[in-house]
Amino acid sequence: MDNKKYRNGMLWGIIGAVLTLLGDLLIGANPASEITTGSQMVDMFIDAAENSELRMVIGAMLGAVGIPITALGYYQLYERLFKPLGGAMPSVYRLGVFATAVLGGAGVHLPCAVIPMLYKWIAPTDPKLAVSVAERYADLFMMPSMAIFGVLLFTALIYQTVMVLKGKTPYKKRAALYNMAIGVAVSYILAWAIGKNTVGNGIGTGAISIGHLYMFTMFYADMPKEYR
């Protein structure tokens, strides 16, 4: 097996997570506005409507590029840890990797910038219509992609955790804790504790990126000796 390719895969995962986190912060690190739509997620994105268009374009593109790069890390986890185990579940894991590469950037991250831009462009003429368009765009385009991406990726992460706990990989069982979902959960708890402000909104928006950064950093730092 190519140890260098695996190590580089973990580094690509880290790089992709950092790029995406920067994009998340450009989009989501904003003070809370007084606009309420009934959807906390849509409200958080509308909070970004005061940002410049250039900031939103850069934020959108960083994530659109960063998430597929992150998927390179997942692919090396699949190739090295799970594909050799055989059976149907490694193929399911690979499907989660492809969902991350295909839907994570263009289907989930990019709409995070489109929603506030739609509001920004329409609100000066009709604020109620702006809110309605933002909500409908989120419901019809972002949420389906997020649902498919989420189900496939989290199924892969559950399998990853179970296999590590069972000792089916060269990693110690403690590596079961190196799970993106843990980073996401901690990020959301922090965002809730900090509140709806620039810092809290930034952490909430960047939760998945923070989770990925945590996971790939730990998989790299605690790599088995035979992989080094």
Side-chain angles (χ1 to χ4, degrees):
M1 299 294 287
D2 190 337
N3 291 334
K4 184 177 181 180
K5 184 180 289 186
Y6 179 80
R7 292 194 301 270
N8 287 343
M10 298 306 98
L11 290 174
W12 281 120
I14 293 169
I15 292 168
V18 170
L19 289 174
T20 308
L21 179 58
L22 291 174
D24 290 335
L25 294 176
L26 284 174
I27 295 171
N30 308 291
S33 69
E34 297 179 356
I35 300 169
T36 55
T37 66
S39 168
Q40 185 174 358
M41 180 183 71
V42 174
D43 289 351
M44 184 169 63
F45 294 138
I46 289 179
D47 291 344
E50 296 299 319
N51 294 333
S52 70
E53 293 184 13
L54 179 60
R55 171 175 166 174
M56 301 306 289
V57 169
I58 294 173
M61 294 311 299
L62 281 171
V65 172
I67 293 176
I69 291 175
T70 303
L72 295 175
Y74 272 114
Y75 190 74
Q76 285 305 311
L77 289 176
Y78 159 74
E79 283 281 323
R80 192 65 185 267
L81 303 185
F82 307 120
K83 183 180 179 180
L85 299 179
M89 285 308 296
S91 296
V92 174
Y93 190 94
R94 183 176 61 181
L95 193 59
V97 175
F98 289 155
T100 301
V102 174
L103 293 176
V108 177
H109 180 88
L110 202 60
C112 295
V114 174
I115 291 170
M117 288 299 92
L118 289 173
Y119 180 86
K120 182 184 186 74
W121 294 330
I122 300 171
T125 302
D126 190 334
K128 289 185 179 180
L129 177 61
V131 169
S132 176
V133 169
E135 289 178 314
R136 290 174 67 186
Y137 178 84
D139 290 342
L140 295 176
F141 293 96
M142 183 179 184
M143 292 308 297
S145 293
M146 183 178 287
I148 297 170
F149 162 74
V151 168
L152 293 176
L153 179 56
F154 278 91
T155 299
L157 289 170
I158 291 169
Y159 172 72
Q160 171 180 305
T161 301
V162 171
M163 291 300 101
V164 174
L165 279 176
K166 285 186 174 181
K168 299 292 185 179
T169 76
Y171 278 90
K172 301 291 186 181
K173 290 185 178 181
R174 62 175 176 259
L177 297 174
Y178 308 159
N179 192 304
M180 182 269 278
I182 292 177
V184 171
V186 171
S187 297
Y188 280 138
I189 291 170
L190 281 174
W192 172 81
I194 293 170
K196 295 188 66 176
N197 52 47
T198 301
V199 176
N201 286 344
I203 293 174
T205 305
I208 292 177
S209 303
I210 294 169
H212 279 144
L213 181 58
Y214 159 73
M215 185 177 82
F216 287 110
T217 299
M218 294 306 297
F219 269 117
Y220 185 85
D222 199 26
M223 197 178 297
K225 290 182 180 179
E226 60 265 35
Y227 286 11
R228 296 182 183 275

